[in-house]
Amino acid sequence: DAGVIQSPRHEVTEMGQEVTLRCKPISGHDYLFWYRQTMMRGLELLIYFNNNVPIDDSGMPEDRFSAKMPNASFSTLKIQPSEPRDSAVYFCARGRQWTSSEPQYFGPGTRLLVL
Amino acid sequence: AQTVTQSQPEMSVQEAETVTLSCTYDTSESDYYLFWYKQPPSRQMILVIRQEAYKQQNATENRFSVNFQKAAKSFSLKISDSQLGDAAMYFCAYRSASGGATNKLIFGTGTLLAVQP
């Protein structure tokens, strides 16, 4: 158990619909990361938070993507409107301070299919 | 910018044998961390082993060990006594230790390991 809960585990939606992915990390970790995995691009970082504040969102593909972290135990990644090219597995990961070798621990992922 | 290269898209090993997965990286930094993650068919990303760049001693975790060659920027993973459950995609990853906006993991493209019974 990596201490990260993601929901839903699978999501199928139609193009143009809004999609909200959820992440619940266990408390005590300062960092929260959102990754996307596709066959074409591999694993890529979308955004990460430190103490609930977005630090680096340079990986967010476009304005259709947004992420929030209202508290230390909850984060959302929203896609509006969704497109077929957004189909991927989306991972949430937690981590501590960057000054140690402590790794990032990943949730089980949400498999998103946009038709 | 840092990059991670895994030159072996696929590898195969017989059960109980040893296999080595290759990883090279490019960086101008002297302080960083390296990781190997395993991704089985369930898609869960599982940490296998980690290495601090300032440590000369190679990390070991049970049947998993690394060969860290800092000058060569090489970080290979050795799996001894391979088991069927080791079959998975393996990702090498780099993380800077300099902080700031560099706290992200940079992943290689992965090596798909098959274990033959």
Side-chain angles (χ1 to χ4, degrees):
Chain A
D1 183 5
V4 179
I5 299 172
Q6 288 188 249
S7 63
R9 294 292 307 277
H10 303 274
E11 177 81 19
V12 181
T13 190
E14 292 188 347
M15 182 174 63
Q17 297 297 307
E18 177 180 297
V19 175
T20 299
L21 310 181
R22 297 174 176 79
C23 175
K24 293 182 179 181
I26 61 172
S27 61
H29 289 76
D30 299 328
Y31 292 87
L32 188 287
F33 304 82
W34 281 100
Y35 290 89
R36 179 172 69 175
Q37 185 179 32
T38 61
M39 287 294 292
M40 291 296 293
R41 301 175 67 90
L43 275 157
E44 52 182 344
L45 178 70
L46 299 177
I47 185 171
Y48 79 89
F49 295 83
N50 179 208
N51 292 324
N52 311 336
V53 176
I55 301 301
D56 182 357
D57 65 354
S58 60
M60 296 285 262
E62 48 199 272
D63 293 345
R64 296 185 297 106
F65 285 69
S66 63
K68 295 181 180 180
M69 191 164 186
N71 59 64
S73 300
F74 185 66
S75 177
T76 60
L77 178 67
K78 185 176 294 186
I79 309 172
Q80 166 63 21
S82 58
E83 297 182 3
R85 58 186 168 135
D86 302 330
S87 298
V89 180
Y90 291 82
F91 290 100
C92 175
R94 61 179 174 90
R96 292 192 205 266
Q97 76 267 18
W98 44 262
T99 52
S100 77
S101 64
E102 182 155 346
Q104 294 174 17
Y105 295 97
F106 287 72
T110 294
R111 185 187 292 265
L112 173 65
L113 178 61
V114 183
L115 302 174
Chain B
Q2 296 85 13
T3 58
V4 177
T5 302
Q6 293 179 251
S7 59
Q8 305 154 317
E10 298 183 12
M11 292 281 287
S12 182
V13 64
Q14 292 291 130
E15 199 174 2
E17 296 296 307
T18 295
V19 64
T20 298
L21 309 184
S22 301
C23 172
T24 58
Y25 56 94
D26 188 25
T27 184
S28 59
E29 299 177 326
S30 59
D31 199 12
Y32 47 86
Y33 308 107
L34 297 164
F35 305 87
W36 278 97
Y37 281 88
K38 168 185 176 181
Q39 187 178 41
S42 67
R43 293 277 187 176
Q44 177 78 52
M45 293 287 287
I46 303 166
L47 176 74
V48 175
I49 200 165
R50 74 187 87 170
Q51 175 80 42
E52 295 93 337
Y54 63 84
K55 288 187 177 179
Q56 293 186 339
Q57 186 174 7
N58 290 322
T60 299
E61 288 286 345
N62 300 314
R63 297 182 297 106
F64 298 87
S65 61
V66 298
N67 184 4
F68 174 50
Q69 302 289 328
K70 191 172 184 179
K73 295 180 183 175
S74 172
F75 183 59
S76 60
L77 174 69
K78 185 171 81 171
I79 306 174
S80 304
D81 186 24
S82 297
Q83 301 175 0
L84 295 177
D86 295 334
M89 182 74 87
Y90 286 82
F91 292 96
C92 178
Y94 171 103
R95 196 183 88 216
S96 171
S98 62
T102 55
N103 192 25
K104 62 183 180 182
L105 282 171
I106 300 170
F107 287 93
T109 51
T111 296
L112 182 63
L113 177 67
V115 180
Q116 308 299 330

